[in-house]
Amino acid sequence: MKRPLLLASMGLSALIPAGAYGQAEEPTLAGRAAIERIAGNTIVLTPESEAPFALEVVMYFASDGRAVSRMSANGVANEAELLVGKWSIDDQERLCVVEDGKDLKSDRDCIGVVVTGNTVRSVPEDIFRGLHATIAEGNPSKL
């Protein structure tokens, strides 16, 4: 009598998606694939820990190669801190960003990125040290 019950429960478990047991792992993207995930979207950098002076950086990477960033302190955006430039992918598959009117210096202006879900990590990781970087779909800040 117990055997059919066991088989029935095994059959039922086969019908339940794997994600129902726990959170399914999201793929990790690196290099060009990670940058393509970022293109057309915004990266939001916020402090990992609470601080009395909370600084947030919002960077929009338009699909046409335009890059716009803005800093805000304690939720108040400073429009004077709006930086405009261009982004590209270098031959090492790093994300490069340079302000309009400046020359690209790959050692200073390019970083590797790794994306898992909506979380972005820099390579090397010390570039985003102390910051939590996430992808916001599209251009929610209207940059």
Side-chain angles (χ1 to χ4, degrees):
M1 197 61 105
K2 290 188 179 188
R3 181 170 279 193
L5 182 58
L6 178 61
L7 292 175
S9 67
M10 288 174 58
L12 181 58
S13 68
L15 297 175
I16 300 173
Y21 290 114
Q23 195 167 358
E25 286 199 29
E26 299 187 54
T28 297
L29 306 173
R32 182 173 293 277
I35 297 166
E36 288 172 354
R37 170 70 178 95
I38 293 168
N41 294 308
T42 301
I43 293 179
V44 180
L45 296 161
T46 55
E48 286 181 344
S49 59
E50 288 191 36
F53 185 73
L55 184 67
E56 177 183 82
V57 178
V58 178
M59 298 179 289
Y60 173 60
F61 295 89
S63 297
D64 65 1
R66 185 175 51 92
V68 183
S69 70
R70 181 184 67 212
M71 281 195 254
S72 61
N74 296 327
V76 179
N78 183 351
E79 297 303 326
E81 292 294 321
L82 198 67
L83 298 174
V84 179
K86 300 210 178 311
W87 69 268
S88 60
I89 303 173
D90 73 359
D91 59 354
Q92 296 177 43
E93 295 193 348
R94 297 180 302 173
L95 176 62
C96 302
V97 181
V98 64
E99 284 184 64
D100 281 347
K102 295 190 176 180
D103 294 327
L104 180 69
K105 305 220 181 334
S106 65
D107 290 340
R108 189 187 74 198
D109 298 327
C110 300
I111 63 167
V113 290
V114 175
V115 176
T116 304
N118 284 335
T119 300
V120 182
R121 287 183 297 121
S122 63
V123 179
E125 290 188 6
D126 64 339
I127 295 171
F128 288 170
R129 182 178 298 149
L131 299 170
H132 183 68
T134 57
I135 295 175
E137 298 296 325
N139 185 9
S141 299
K142 310 274 189 257
L143 297 178

